[in-house]
Amino acid sequence: PAFGLFLFTIARDPLRIIILIAGAFFWLVSLLLSSLIWFIAVKASDPRDEQLQKGLLIFGVMFSVLLQEAFRFLYYKLLRKAIEGLVALSEDGCSPISIQQMAYVAGVGFGLMSGAFSMINLLADALGPGTVGIHGDSQLYFLTSAFMTMVLIFLHTFWGILFFHGCEHRRWWEITAVVVMHLTVSGSSFCNPLYVGSLVPSYLLMAAAAAWAYLLSGGSAQNLRRFLLCK
């Protein structure tokens, strides 16, 4: 599905590809900084203290989420300046891409890079001989990880639309809602290996975020019905 989003909505437009790559880069930088902070904290702590290590893991996840959203805000500010430059250079005084389209493409960029790193970690666990679940663990690890990666890609896409809309119209509660949803989805991963505890809330939040982003983008129930009925 993520490749389909890129292929049908982004790949044919060079400007959208640039925005996508820049968004992926911003997410990558946020991951690098949060990983560095977590690595320093772990090295400076006592590795034999299990409670402390668990607390540092929770801190690392929460800090990474907040840093990702901070970089999403920085990327919005950068794209806002870019729109002003494009308007100044255009002959008709209009930008070739709207802020809503930028929000969507930037969200896809964040999501694709997030999904890529999730798949890299998944494939790293799959290297070497062995049988999944041989020591009593769940045999659905790889399947549920794939579904979790997909939902995160879509969530980042919808979060980008909601976040940019909140910044554009100074609706800070929309930005807060995005941060809370992101923290909730990331925090639900601590329910694993009880995968129902992480997958079900994540997909419910994805459905809510999708409907919200659809309405903010100008969609309506009538347009959705026409689309489903191919009218």
Side-chain angles (χ1 to χ4, degrees):
F3 180 72
L5 289 178
F6 170 77
L7 186 64
F8 293 110
T9 64
I10 298 174
R12 298 180 181 180
D13 191 330
L15 182 57
R16 293 185 183 186
I17 294 177
I18 294 173
I19 296 172
L20 176 82
I21 294 174
F25 174 76
F26 267 72
W27 186 91
L28 190 61
V29 173
S30 72
L31 177 68
L32 175 64
L33 292 178
S34 59
S35 300
L36 180 62
I37 296 297
W38 179 78
F39 178 78
I40 293 174
V42 169
K43 288 299 181 181
S45 62
D46 184 4
R48 294 169 295 181
D49 191 337
E50 294 184 1
Q51 286 296 111
L52 177 60
Q53 294 302 316
K54 184 177 180 179
L56 287 176
L57 179 60
I58 296 174
F59 163 76
V61 171
M62 300 299 110
F63 180 77
S64 177
V65 168
L66 296 176
L67 199 60
Q68 287 177 47
E69 298 306 327
F71 269 80
R72 199 192 303 272
F73 178 74
L74 292 176
Y75 193 40
Y76 162 78
K77 301 295 286 187
L78 178 65
L79 290 178
R80 206 71 192 82
K81 291 292 184 182
I83 287 181
E84 296 174 3
L86 290 172
V87 170
L89 292 174
S90 65
E91 296 179 354
D92 56 359
C94 297
S95 172
I97 185 171
S98 67
I99 190 66
Q100 292 87 353
Q101 292 171 330
M102 282 186 169
Y104 164 73
V105 177
V108 174
F110 269 63
L112 286 178
M113 185 55 69
S114 172
F117 265 80
S118 297
M119 290 305 299
I120 289 174
N121 292 332
L122 189 63
L123 293 175
D125 289 339
L127 290 176
T131 302
V132 178
I134 193 172
H135 295 297
D137 298 321
S138 174
Q139 296 184 355
L140 301 176
Y141 170 69
F142 291 110
L143 181 62
T144 53
S145 297
F147 276 103
M148 196 66 187
T149 299
M150 183 178 69
V151 76
L152 280 174
I153 294 174
F154 281 124
L155 278 171
H156 271 292
T157 303
F158 302 139
W159 288 337
I161 296 172
L162 298 175
F163 195 96
F164 278 41
H165 186 272
C167 293
E168 191 71 9
H169 297 276
R170 297 187 180 277
R171 296 180 179 177
W172 305 116
W173 60 272
E174 291 182 353
I175 299 173
T176 303
V178 170
V179 175
V180 170
M181 283 191 288
H182 199 166
L183 287 170
T184 302
V185 172
S186 298
S188 68
S189 63
F190 292 110
C191 295
N192 295 336
L194 182 61
Y195 296 114
V196 175
S198 58
L199 281 177
V200 173
S202 297
Y203 272 85
L204 290 176
L205 283 176
M206 184 192 71
W212 193 1
Y214 175 73
L215 294 175
L216 290 182
S217 301
S220 65
Q222 184 178 8
N223 291 339
L224 181 61
R225 183 170 61 84
R226 288 178 177 176
F227 169 74
L228 294 175
L229 295 176
C230 299
K231 289 186 178 180

